[in-house]
Amino acid sequence: TLLQQRHDFAGALRDLDALLAADPRNAQARLIRASIRMVQGEPLKARADCAALIGQTGLLAAATCIGSAGGLSGTAESALQAIEVSLAREPEAPPAIRIWAMTQAAEIAERLGDLPRATEHYARALAESAAAGENDVYLKAAHADFLLDQQRAAEVKTLLAADTDFDPLLLRLALAEAQLHADSAATLHLKELLDRYALAASRGDPPHRREQAMAALYLQRDAKAALLLAQQNWAEQREPADARLLLQAAINAQNKAAAQPVLDWMQQTKIQDVRLKPLAMQLGAAP
C-alpha cells in the first residue's frame, strides 16, 4: 500500500504477487492488486482479480471491483447497474466500502454522460463520507472536476474553500477561480501550488504529475510543459482522467503523435467515455 501511494506500482505488484502466491485467498491483497491494474489501464487483468474476490469478501466489495473493471472495458452500463443493485442489497456494508462504491458509480455514470445519475451518486457519497467523519480527498476532487465540466465553478469555490491544505483540492479551487475570472485569487493559489510542488521535489517525494500537468495546461497555459508532464503521467498511470489530460495536451500542443498511445488504449479497452470521444475526433481518430 505504501509503495502504491508513492506511485511505485511495479514494486507494489511484486510484493502483491508474492503474497498472493503464498496466500491466494488474501482478499485485501487481491483488491489492492486489482486497483493498481485499473490505475495502470489494464481492466481485463483487474477483472480476474476482482472475480476471485467472490466468496472471499462482501458482496458490495466484489461487485464494485468487478463493476469498476467493467466500467473501463466496454460494459459500462451493466457495470453501473451491478454496483447500484449491490448498494441496495448491502446497506450495512462498511462506510468506506459504500463510499468507494458510490464514487465508482458516479464516475461510470459521468463517463456515460448520465449527469443526473452521476449527480445522485456523488451526492450520496459525499453525504455518507460526511456522516462517517471522513475527508475523502479523491471523492472531493472527482466531484469538483464533475462540477467544473458543467461550468459550476461557484459551487466548487464554496465547497473547497476550507480544504486548501490538500494539493489536489487547492488545484481545483484555483481552476474554479480561473473559470470565474477571479484572476488574482487564481494566480495566488497557483503560486502556492507551484511552491508546494517545488518543496515536495526538494524532499524527494514522488511527483503527482496529473495535477502538475493540469496546472500547466489549464492555469499556466504552457502547452509544451503540459504535454511533457501528461506524457510522463501516462507512463505511470492510465485512468480515464489521464487519457483525457494527454489528449487535451496533445491538441493544445498540436502534436497528434503524442496522443497515439491514448488512442490505442481506447481501442484496446473499448472504454465508453463521452468526454474522450470528441477529443479523439479532434485528433482525427475514429470515434
Side-chain angles (χ1 to χ4, degrees):
T1 299
L2 290 171
L3 290 169
Q4 177 191 16
Q5 290 172 356
R6 293 185 60 81
H7 286 206
D8 181 1
F9 300 125
L13 287 173
R14 281 194 299 272
D15 285 352
L16 291 164
D17 290 346
L19 180 57
L20 286 165
D23 180 12
R25 295 184 63 82
N26 189 312
Q28 184 181 7
R30 188 78 63 182
L31 189 57
I32 295 170
R33 190 168 73 174
S35 174
I36 292 174
R37 285 173 166 167
M38 282 186 265
V39 167
Q40 292 192 309
E42 297 181 323
L44 295 182
K45 287 185 179 180
R47 185 180 290 176
D49 273 331
C50 294
L53 289 171
I54 297 173
Q56 296 183 21
T57 188
L59 166 67
L60 184 57
T64 301
C65 187
I66 293 169
S68 299
L72 297 171
S73 52
T75 57
E77 179 58 43
S78 60
L80 177 54
Q81 290 178 6
I83 295 174
E84 290 173 336
V85 168
S86 299
L87 276 165
R89 287 183 178 173
E90 203 167 345
E92 301 304 318
I97 298 295
R98 288 185 57 79
I99 293 163
W100 171 51
M102 291 170 189
T103 304
Q104 292 300 309
E107 291 187 310
I108 295 171
E110 187 178 356
R111 294 198 295 271
L112 285 170
D114 192 336
L115 300 189
R117 212 161 163 193
T119 298
E120 179 185 352
H121 286 302
Y122 274 126
R124 291 178 63 199
L126 289 162
E128 193 137 343
S129 180
E134 296 189 12
N135 189 16
D136 192 322
V137 173
Y138 179 90
L139 168 59
K140 288 184 175 181
H143 182 235
D145 289 340
F146 175 67
L147 295 175
L148 288 168
D149 279 347
Q150 299 173 68
Q151 302 296 308
R152 294 165 63 184
E155 294 174 59
V156 174
K157 187 176 178 181
T158 300
L159 291 168
L160 299 185
D163 275 315
T164 56
D165 287 347
F166 302 94
D167 293 359
L169 302 185
L170 178 61
L171 170 63
R172 271 69 180 190
L173 178 59
L175 290 170
E177 289 163 343
Q179 198 176 101
L180 293 167
H181 304 291
D183 296 335
S184 58
T187 299
L188 184 65
H189 283 137
L190 172 61
K191 182 183 183 304
E192 183 178 349
L193 200 59
L194 295 177
D195 287 344
R196 291 186 190 183
Y197 292 156
L199 179 61
S202 72
R203 292 195 303 249
D205 293 346
H208 290 270
R209 292 192 178 93
R210 179 193 293 176
E211 280 73 22
Q212 290 176 314
M214 289 172 67
L217 183 62
Y218 300 120
L219 294 173
Q220 295 172 286
R221 307 292 180 182
D222 187 336
K224 184 177 179 181
L227 179 58
L228 178 60
L229 286 163
Q231 288 175 306
Q232 292 171 340
N233 177 60
W234 184 256
E236 286 187 347
Q237 53 183 39
R238 293 175 285 278
E239 295 184 276
D242 306 303
R244 183 183 183 187
L245 184 59
L246 182 48
L247 292 179
Q248 189 64 67
I251 290 169
N252 285 26
Q254 299 182 332
N255 187 339
K256 179 181 176 180
Q260 196 59 49
V262 174
L263 300 174
D264 292 342
W265 174 80
M266 289 172 65
Q267 285 198 324
Q268 176 193 351
T269 60
K270 298 180 173 58
I271 188 169
Q272 299 163 274
D273 193 328
V274 297
R275 304 162 305 177
L276 297 182
K277 284 185 178 180
L279 296 176
M281 292 177 69
Q282 277 186 258
L283 290 157

